[in-house]
Amino acid sequence: MSTEPSTISVWDALESNPQQAANLRVRAALMRQISTTLSELGLTQAEAAQRCGVSQPRISQLMNGQIASFSLDALVNIAAALGQTVEIR
């Protein structure tokens, strides 16, 4: 048994396609940032939904980490509605 730490990410382990794994990593990071921002703003899910131009159930999905429910485009749009700048490095 190896004692060296693994450098594989959970997304690499779940997705054999490197491009899809990269997409999942970016979406997860963006979802975390949006969730943090919404929590910091103290908005209800209904208020957040109205501000972001989506339904309250969509905000619930986001806050519950349902990554498969969101495209990268949708997350960028939500982040922009909250005044966030999205950069990918």
Side-chain angles (χ1 to χ4, degrees), residues 41-57:
L41 291 172
L43 301 173
T44 66
Q45 287 187 0
E47 292 167 336
Q50 184 174 11
R51 184 166 174 178
C52 296
V54 299
S55 67
Q56 179 276 323

Side-chain angles (χ1 to χ4, degrees), residues 22-23 25-27 29-30 72-73 76 85-89:
N23 186 285
R25 276 193 301 276
V26 172
R27 285 190 288 157
L30 194 48
L72 190 52
D73 286 347
V76 169
T85 301
V86 177
E87 293 181 18
I88 299 174
R89 292 181 229 155

Side-chain angles (χ1 to χ4, degrees), residues 5-67:
S6 174
T7 58
I8 191 167
S9 77
V10 66
W11 304 117
D12 292 322
L14 291 174
E15 183 59 58
S16 61
N17 179 309
Q19 293 86 0
Q20 286 290 16
N23 186 285
L24 286 169
R25 276 193 301 276
V26 172
R27 285 190 288 157
L30 194 48
M31 285 181 79
R32 281 191 306 273
Q33 182 58 46
I34 292 168
S35 293
T36 298
T37 298
L38 290 175
S39 295
E40 289 172 352
L41 291 172
L43 301 173
T44 66
Q45 287 187 0
E47 292 167 336
Q50 184 174 11
R51 184 166 174 178
C52 296
V54 299
S55 67
Q56 179 276 323
R58 291 290 283 163
I59 296 296
S60 179
Q61 289 174 323
L62 190 146
M63 297 299 285
N64 288 312
Q66 296 180 14
I67 194 167

